[in-house]
Amino acid sequence: MELSLSSTSPALLKLNHHFLSKNSLPIKIPSLHFANDWKLPSFYSLTRRPSFLRKFASPASSSIAVGPSNDRLPADIKVTETQEPNSRIRVSVEVPPAVCEDCYRRVMNEFTKQAKVPGFRPGKNVPESILLSYVGKQNVQRATVESILKRTLPHAMSSVTGEVLRDSVQIATKFTDMEKTYISLNSLRYDVVVDVAPEVIWVPENGYNNLKIVVEIDSEIDAQRASEQELRQRHKSLGVMRIITDRGLQIGDVAVLDVSATKIDKDESNVQNIPAADSKGFHFDTEHGDRVIPGFLDSIIGIQRGETKSFPLVFPESWKQENLRGVHAQFTVECKELFYRDLPELDDSLADKLLPGCTTLQQVKESLLQKFLEMEQTAREQAADNAILDQLCKMVDIDIPQSLFEEQGRQLYGAKLLEIQANMKLNEQQLASLSSPKAVNEFLDNQKENITRVIKQNLAVGDIFKRENLQFSTEDLVKEVENSIAEFKQQKQEYDEERVKEQVQEILEGAKVLEWLREHSKIQYISR
C-alpha cells in the first residue's frame, strides 16, 4: 500500500484534529535523527523557536532541551559557527580546563552527598582517592563530561545566529571522542548542528504584490447548469423505471451493460486487457454520456437487449488515468437490460416532493440556484486560493531545514494513516507495517516534492502576514478555539488546548493572508 498527498487544497487552512489530540494515533510515526553512539541526557530541552514555525513543531517530543544560560562559568568558552546547507549551522565549542575542573568538582561534591561509602557518614567529606575508587573513575569521567555539556550547551546555543528550530539540535561529536579529549587534555571540544528558521527570499522582491492569477474552473462549478442538473435528478427520482422490449437504446434511457476493453497496438499484434475499463452489470444513464470515454455513447445508441457490440475508441489525452491517455482500445459491450423512465409531469404539484417546504416549481428552481451559487462562490475562492498558493511557491527561494522537512512529512504521513484507518479499519499488522521507519522513509522520498511545496506555501504565507502587518480579532480566535474544543468534546477526544490555540491562530493567519492576496491580485477565471 502506498500513501500519497493530494494537491487540491491548501494545507494551511485545515485544522487537523487528529494531531491536536493527545492519544489519537494508535501507532507512532518514527522520528528521523542522525545516528550516534550515545543517548543525550534527559536534562536538555529546546525553548527557542520562531512563532511562524509553530505548525512544524511537535510539542509532544523533544530530543534536546536547552535551558537558560544563567549559570555563570568560571571562564569563557569559545564558540565558532559554520554555515551549512539546508539552513543548518554547525557550532564548534571549545571548553577550557577551568570550566572542566569546576564541573569535575561539582560532580565529586554530588557523589559525596549521594554515595554511601563504607566507613563514612552520608554527606561527610570523603577523600578523593577513596571516592574515585568507590564510584569508579570511568563513571566520574562520564558524569563530568555530561556536566560540562549541561552547563556549556545553553551558553553555546545562546550565541547562535538565527532562531533555532525545536527538535533540531544534534550533538555531532561522539561521546567516546569527548571522553578521550577530556581525559587527555582536561578540556573538551564538541560540535553541535542546529537547524534555524529559514529565510524567505522573494524572487522578485515583494513579488506577491499585484499577482496575476489565471484560475481554471471545472464546468461542473457553473451554478446555473448545476442547479438544472440537480432539478433533473430529483425529477428522475420520482419516476418509475420500465423495461424496454420493442426498441433499441435512446438518449434518456438506462442500460445495464457488461463492458470489457483491450489495449491494441497499431498493428494489432499485442492485445492486453484493460482492467480499469472492465465492468459487469454497469448501470449506464445515457444522460451522463459526458462521464464516459468520448464516443462510447454514440457507439451503443440503438443497441438492444441481448445484443453485443464491439468498437474501437481512443482515450483522450485529458483522461484522468494517466496510464490510459492516448491508448487505443477495443471495447466490447453486451446489453443485459434496457429501461426508460416514466416521469410525472414537472409542475407545481411536485414542488414539495422535489424540495420539502417549497410550494411552487419556481420556488424550487430559485432555492436550488441559490444553493449552487453559494457552492460556486466557495469553489471559485478555493480554486483561486490554490492558484495563489501555487504561484507563491514558485516565487520564494527557501533553504528548507531537514528537520523541518521530516517533521512536516511525518505529520502528513500520520494524517494519511488516520484517513486510511478510518476508511479501512487496518489491523495491527498492517498498522505496524505502514508505521515502520522504512514506510515513513519511502513516503518522504516519494512525496518530497509535495512536502516541500506545503512547507514553502506555509512559510510564504507566514512571511506575508508579518510583512503586511495583518491582524485578526481576538474575538475570532476565542470563538474558533471554543468551536474546535467543543468538537473534540463531542467526539470524546482528548486534546491539547495550547496546540488547538496555536493551530487555530495559524488558520486565521492563513485566511487573512489569502483574503488580502485576493483583494490585491488580478484573478481571471477560465473554464476547463
Side-chain angles (χ1 to χ4, degrees):
M1 184 180 294
E2 184 175 305
L3 302 186
S4 60
L5 297 179
S6 169
S7 60
T8 59
S9 60
L12 59 94
L13 293 182
K14 294 179 180 178
L15 180 58
N16 193 331
H17 287 87
H18 294 297
F19 278 101
L20 294 177
S21 67
K22 296 178 180 178
N23 300 302
S24 57
L25 197 60
I27 45 85
K28 181 178 180 181
I29 305 302
S31 297
L32 307 176
H33 294 297
F34 294 102
N36 208 329
D37 67 338
W38 167 68
K39 291 185 178 180
L40 292 159
S42 59
F43 49 69
Y44 295 111
S45 122
L46 184 62
T47 57
R48 302 174 60 203
R49 64 192 176 108
S51 60
F52 70 92
L53 290 175
R54 284 188 304 267
K55 60 177 71 64
F56 304 121
S58 174
S61 62
S62 178
S63 58
I64 300 181
V66 180
S69 57
N70 53 11
D71 182 5
R72 297 193 63 178
L73 301 176
D76 292 334
I77 60 174
K78 182 179 179 180
V79 180
T80 306
E81 288 186 17
T82 305
Q83 293 288 340
E84 295 189 351
N86 303 117
S87 298
R88 171 159 290 187
I89 295 177
R90 179 174 291 270
V91 182
S92 299
V93 184
E94 296 183 27
V95 184
V99 176
C100 295
E101 181 63 25
D102 189 61
C103 291
Y104 171 78
R105 290 300 167 194
R106 290 192 177 195
V107 168
M108 292 298 288
N109 288 338
E110 193 63 30
F111 275 128
T112 298
K113 294 177 183 178
Q114 297 182 7
K116 297 180 180 179
V117 182
F120 295 90
R121 292 181 180 179
K124 296 297 182 179
N125 289 332
V126 179
E128 184 172 327
S129 59
I130 296 177
L131 186 60
L132 281 173
S133 177
Y134 179 77
V135 176
K137 188 174 182 180
Q138 186 177 11
N139 289 332
V140 172
Q141 290 168 343
R142 290 178 65 88
T144 301
V145 172
E146 289 195 9
S147 176
I148 295 170
L149 287 171
K150 179 179 179 179
R151 295 184 64 191
T152 60
L153 188 56
H155 290 272
M157 290 294 97
S158 66
S159 67
V160 172
T161 303
E163 296 183 273
V164 177
L165 301 188
R166 186 174 58 190
D167 298 338
S168 74
V169 182
Q170 302 284 331
I171 296 179
T173 307
K174 292 183 177 181
F175 192 76
T176 53
D177 292 341
M178 287 188 279
E179 278 188 296
K180 292 175 183 178
T181 302
Y182 169 69
I183 293 170
S184 60
L185 301 176
N186 195 32
S187 62
L188 195 66
R189 297 188 187 94
Y190 62 92
D191 285 354
V192 179
V193 289
V194 299
D195 290 340
V196 295
E199 180 183 3
V200 178
I201 301 174
W202 291 91
V203 183
E205 178 67 22
N206 294 324
Y208 60 85
N209 282 300
N210 300 316
L211 290 175
K212 294 181 179 179
I213 303 294
V214 176
V215 182
E216 290 188 343
I217 299 293
D218 290 331
S219 58
E220 289 83 358
I221 292 178
D222 180 80
Q224 184 64 48
R225 182 168 176 264
S227 65
E228 291 172 356
Q229 290 178 341
E230 177 68 14
L231 178 60
R232 175 61 179 168
Q233 284 298 115
R234 294 186 182 215
H235 184 208
K236 286 159 62 173
S237 70
L238 299 178
V240 178
M241 301 290 289
R242 303 193 185 279
I243 297 175
I244 299 173
T245 58
D246 57 350
R247 64 171 175 83
L249 182 69
Q250 297 177 358
I251 298 296
D253 295 340
V254 174
V256 179
L257 309 172
D258 283 352
V259 183
S260 62
T262 56
K263 181 167 57 177
I264 54 175
D265 292 338
K266 291 183 179 180
D267 60 1
E268 299 186 1
S269 60
N270 184 21
V271 179
Q272 297 178 355
N273 289 329
I274 304 177
D278 289 351
S279 179
K280 295 287 186 181
F282 172 46
H283 283 64
F284 177 51
D285 188 335
T286 53
E287 291 187 0
H288 298 158
D290 57 341
R291 300 181 184 179
V292 295
I293 182 173
F296 183 87
L297 175 59
D298 292 339
S299 299
I300 64 170
I301 287 294
I303 194 172
Q304 297 192 15
R305 179 184 179 187
E307 184 181 355
T308 298
K309 284 191 175 185
S310 183
F311 46 89
L313 293 175
V314 179
F315 286 92
E317 293 298 329
S318 59
W319 197 249
K320 291 182 179 181
Q321 292 171 272
E322 295 183 12
N323 63 319
L324 292 179
R325 292 174 183 174
V327 169
H328 292 252
Q330 186 71 25
F331 280 81
T332 300
V333 177
E334 180 183 357
C335 181
K336 312 297 283 189
E337 295 286 353
L338 283 178
F339 300 92
Y340 73 93
R341 288 188 176 88
D342 188 1
L343 299 177
E345 186 176 351
L346 188 61
D347 55 25
D348 290 346
S349 64
L350 296 180
D352 188 61
K353 294 180 180 179
L354 292 168
L355 189 63
C358 293
T359 56
T360 66
L361 182 60
Q362 184 61 31
Q363 189 178 0
V364 172
K365 293 179 179 179
E366 291 174 355
S367 297
L368 291 177
L369 179 59
Q370 181 59 37
K371 168 190 171 183
F372 282 98
L373 282 172
E374 294 173 359
M375 292 175 61
E376 178 184 357
Q377 182 60 30
T378 300
R380 288 168 70 90
E381 290 180 358
Q382 184 69 73
D385 289 347
N386 290 336
I388 289 172
L389 289 171
D390 287 341
Q391 187 70 13
L392 294 181
C393 193
K394 298 173 183 177
M395 301 177 70
V396 291
D397 184 11
I398 304 175
D399 196 17
I400 298 176
Q402 183 64 20
S403 62
L404 188 56
F405 173 84
E406 291 172 355
E407 178 65 23
Q408 181 69 71
R410 287 196 300 273
Q411 288 193 16
L412 293 172
Y413 187 77
K416 277 294 175 182
L417 277 187
L418 287 165
E419 182 180 330
I420 291 175
Q421 172 71 350
N423 294 332
M424 299 177 58
K425 300 299 180 184
L426 302 174
N427 58 40
E428 291 185 7
Q429 184 177 359
Q430 290 172 319
L431 275 175
S433 175
L434 286 173
S435 59
S436 67
K438 179 182 178 182
V440 177
N441 277 316
E442 288 178 352
F443 177 83
L444 295 182
D445 290 339
N446 295 336
Q447 297 297 322
K448 182 176 181 179
E449 184 177 344
N450 285 329
I451 296 170
T452 300
R453 174 180 52 81
V454 171
I455 294 173
K456 291 177 73 173
Q457 288 176 354
N458 280 304
L459 291 176
V461 166
D463 191 57
I464 294 172
F465 188 86
K466 292 192 304 179
R467 283 172 174 245
E468 300 301 326
N469 296 315
L470 301 178
Q471 295 180 343
F472 52 83
S473 68
T474 303
E475 291 78 7
D476 287 343
L477 177 62
V478 172
K479 180 181 177 181
E480 292 301 326
V481 169
E482 289 176 349
N483 290 341
S484 295
I485 290 177
E487 187 175 343
F488 278 120
K489 291 180 178 179
Q490 184 179 2
Q491 297 176 359
K492 296 181 179 180
Q493 281 187 304
E494 293 185 19
Y495 59 90
D496 185 321
E497 186 169 347
E498 187 60 31
R499 294 189 71 191
V500 172
K501 183 178 179 181
E502 286 182 352
Q503 244 194 10
V504 167
Q505 182 172 332
E506 288 153 11
I507 291 170
L508 293 174
E509 288 178 4
K512 186 63 67 174
V513 169
L514 288 171
E515 178 185 345
W516 185 91
L517 287 171
R518 285 195 298 269
E519 293 174 355
H520 292 78
S521 301
K522 295 180 179 178
I523 302 176
Q524 177 186 1
Y525 295 92
I526 61 175
S527 298
R528 286 176 181 170

